[in-house]
Amino acid sequence: MTAETTPPAELRQQVTAEQYDSWPEERCAGIEVVDGRVVGSPSASKRPRRLARILANALDAAAGPGWNADTDFDVRLQDVPLTNRRPHVVVYRAETIDVTPTRPEHVLLVAEVVPPGSETADRRVKVDQYAKAGIAFYWRIERAAAGVPLIHTYVLDPATGGYRTGDVFTGVVRVAAPFAVELDLGRL
């Protein structure tokens, strides 16, 4: 972390789920908690935020009444030590819209738009955490050298507890699982 993203001293202490749950949303925005330690979450620029919103809107429209898709809120992966991640896009059970915190059993899919400086976390650390939490689908969105977004898809393998690599998309995304959705990345 750079000096600009170093959290205040009180946030660098070990944080419990009870402490975190007592904080106002403004204090929690822009941070994640990993093994009880607050870590900065790089804020996305306009293009990645737009990509996350377009993806969430497409997933929300395709999901049907049982699922919602939204952007930028906590998913509580574990209570002790506290691990909260804030994926860019979350598809979760519609019936849990008022349940806080959102837990892995509420979540079908998480997607991360990889900003510069977060490649290792999004490619290795988060993918492992989401798999261990039992989240069925993980999508990682990166910009290719030509500037075109690439969506890497992963599906949880219940036998191994890890993700199997799925398809990689650029241009038009057409998937059948977790539900049929089509998204034109060229709109970005």
Side-chain angles (χ1 to χ4, degrees), residues 50-72:
R50 177 173 166 72
L51 181 107
R53 185 174 44 79
I54 289 170
L55 178 59
N57 289 346
L59 289 168
D60 198 52
W67 298 97
N68 293 335
D70 211 338
T71 60
D72 196 36

Side-chain angles (χ1 to χ4, degrees), residues 31-132:
I31 64 169
E32 294 180 317
V33 181
V34 178
D35 293 331
R37 299 279 182 203
V38 173
V39 295
S41 183
S43 59
S45 63
K46 287 185 258 181
R47 184 174 299 277
R49 282 195 318 267
R50 177 173 166 72
L51 181 107
R53 185 174 44 79
I54 289 170
L55 178 59
N57 289 346
L59 289 168
D60 198 52
W67 298 97
N68 293 335
D70 211 338
T71 60
D72 196 36
F73 63 89
D74 287 344
V75 175
R76 174 78 45 91
L77 299 180
Q78 65 184 37
D79 287 308
V80 180
L82 178 61
T83 298
N84 270 355
R85 288 295 188 180
R86 193 173 274 254
H88 292 104
V89 177
V90 180
V91 176
Y92 62 95
R93 294 183 189 287
E95 68 209 32
T96 66
I97 193 167
D98 293 318
V99 175
T100 303
T102 299
R103 303 241 179 223
E105 57 268 21
H106 306 150
V107 176
L108 178 64
L109 179 149
V110 294
E112 295 282 3
V113 180
V114 181
S118 146
E119 294 89 353
T120 299
D122 290 329
R123 292 176 185 160
R124 295 192 179 124
V125 178
K126 290 180 183 181
V127 70
D128 184 55
Q129 290 174 333
Y130 294 143
K132 284 181 179 168

Side-chain angles (χ1 to χ4, degrees), residues 132-155:
K132 284 181 179 168
I135 296 172
F137 296 89
Y138 175 64
W139 291 5
R140 189 182 79 239
I141 300 96
E142 298 191 20
R143 288 188 67 144
V148 176
L150 296 172
I151 296 184
H152 301 261
T153 64
Y154 301 86
V155 179

